[in-house]
Amino acid sequence: MDEPHPSHLKPSQLGTKEYWDAIYTQDLTNHSTDPSSIGEIWFSDSNAESNILTFLTSPESSKLDLNLDPSTNSFLDLGTGNGSLLFLLREKGGFEGRMVGVDYSRPSVDLAREVGREKGLIGTRTSDSGGSGSGSKKKKREVEFYEWDLFAEESPPAWMDEDITITITNGSEGDGRRRRGFDVVLDKGTFDAISLSEEVESRTGRRLCDGYRARVEALVKEGGYLLVTSCNWTEEELIKWFVGGDSGFEVFGRIQYPVFSFGGKTGQKISSVCFKLKSSIC
């Protein structure tokens, strides 16, 4: 029998949409008066974003090779906030493929778009594709941001275009649809917030965190990756949430953060685990 997932966390206001709407509304106000203010970058005290960048771009640092192609690979950032992680991957990581950030908080999306425009990552952009004086210009793909609730009971949104969704045939079971998915799906604190929500899914009557893995799995390409960063769950607990049972995920790697000792125990302030979606999931 499969080992059950860890015990639920006690719900808090950090698991409510109202809380995040208020946070990002204030961040928008602050940004309008001081463009250098873009709001909080989650887990910055642990340098999470720079560690994620290194993990994705420097396989020698983790002794793992994700075999990513910076020119084509696609990224989806769940709970994108101010979009800082995608901006970092575009500007410092050299990733040129499709990048989409989604958040259920409209003010978050507005903030990310504002910051992206100021960075020149949203709007028409061109760069020299040849040598000096070549006059050849190449259009760079924009970073996209959309308001979207992962648990909304609706058909796939328009931004999941034909590049992301394909039709497959299930033989005797009839035609069905399977999302081809993104090469890399990022979650930096989103599962934490969902774990603090007291909401339940209407179809199952279970808390949202119980259904999160299956919904996210549908967004990842076969052979693609899900990278989850959390301050509420240890590495071992994240693995119990995302691996086992009918999950198509397997553990691929982890990010090492500074270790501290307290009360005779050692641990990290945050955990980042990379899961790989096994191929040929039927």
Side-chain angles (χ1 to χ4, degrees):
M1 181 175 179
D2 294 318
E3 187 176 358
H5 63 63
S7 299
H8 289 126
L9 300 178
K10 182 180 179 181
S12 83
Q13 64 174 349
L14 274 73
T16 67
K17 184 175 182 295
E18 292 76 15
Y19 175 85
W20 295 110
D21 282 347
I23 289 290
Y24 289 115
T25 296
Q26 184 60 56
D27 287 344
L28 265 173
T29 300
N30 296 340
H31 183 72
S32 67
T33 57
D34 178 8
S36 67
S37 174
I38 64 171
E40 184 172 356
I41 296 178
W42 296 103
F43 311 143
S44 60
D45 56 343
S46 296
N47 295 317
E49 291 194 350
S50 60
N51 277 284
I52 290 171
L53 174 65
T54 299
F55 181 83
L56 293 173
T57 59
S58 304
E60 65 277 3
S61 67
S62 60
K63 297 182 174 58
L64 297 170
D65 188 354
L66 285 78
N67 197 30
L68 297 178
D69 181 353
S71 65
T72 62
N73 285 154
S74 56
F75 285 78
L76 174 64
D77 186 20
L78 296 173
T80 194
N82 58 16
S84 60
L85 181 54
L86 290 182
F87 297 143
L88 179 68
L89 294 176
R90 181 70 97 210
E91 293 178 313
K92 302 296 185 182
F95 291 102
E96 301 176 350
R98 191 179 189 207
M99 285 190 172
V100 177
V102 296
D103 205 295
Y104 72 171
S105 173
R106 180 68 199 190
S108 156
V109 175
D110 291 341
L111 176 62
R113 288 175 175 172
E114 283 294 324
V115 175
R117 277 190 285 268
E118 290 160 8
K119 285 179 169 288
L121 296 175
I122 295 178
T124 302
R125 304 178 67 238
T126 59
S127 64
D128 288 326
S129 59
S132 176
S134 68
S136 177
K137 299 287 184 178
K138 177 183 177 182
K139 185 175 181 180
K140 290 187 177 181
R141 192 161 195 168
E142 298 180 1
V143 180
E144 307 167 46
F145 294 101
Y146 302 100
E147 179 184 0
W148 184 58
D149 185 346
L150 178 66
F151 289 91
E153 301 297 333
E154 58 186 24
S155 57
W159 54 265
M160 286 185 185
D161 60 19
E162 58 193 25
D163 292 330
I164 300 301
T165 308
I166 61 173
T167 302
I168 62 172
T169 301
N170 295 325
S172 61
E173 297 179 5
D175 289 341
R177 297 189 67 80
R178 177 181 176 83
R179 295 189 185 115
R180 181 166 65 88
F182 289 80
D183 293 293
V184 181
V185 174
L186 304 165
D187 174 327
K188 184 168 65 75
T190 299
F191 184 57
D192 283 349
I194 288 175
S195 297
L196 294 171
S197 173
E198 64 180 1
E199 290 187 61
V200 298
E201 289 196 74
S202 58
R203 291 180 300 173
T204 65
R206 303 186 67 185
R207 284 180 61 173
L208 300 184
C209 55
D210 293 326
Y212 183 74
R213 188 272 307 162
R215 288 180 179 263
V216 172
E217 186 174 315
L219 303 173
V220 183
K221 177 189 294 185
E222 290 186 355
Y225 303 94
L226 168 66
L227 180 54
V228 182
T229 300
S230 169
C231 65
N232 287 336
W233 303 105
T234 65
E235 292 178 0
E236 293 75 15
E237 289 170 332
L238 285 174
I239 291 170
K240 288 181 180 179
W241 274 111
F242 288 91
V243 176
D246 60 354
S247 172
F249 286 121
E250 59 186 359
V251 177
F252 180 80
R254 58 187 290 272
I255 296 177
Q256 178 67 54
Y257 295 98
V259 175
F260 67 92
S261 297
F262 181 78
K265 296 183 178 180
T266 60
Q268 302 177 157
K269 290 181 65 175
I270 64 173
S271 301
S272 292
V273 180
C274 183
F275 302 97
K276 184 174 184 176
L277 185 61
K278 294 173 283 188
S279 299
S280 302
I281 304 300
C282 300

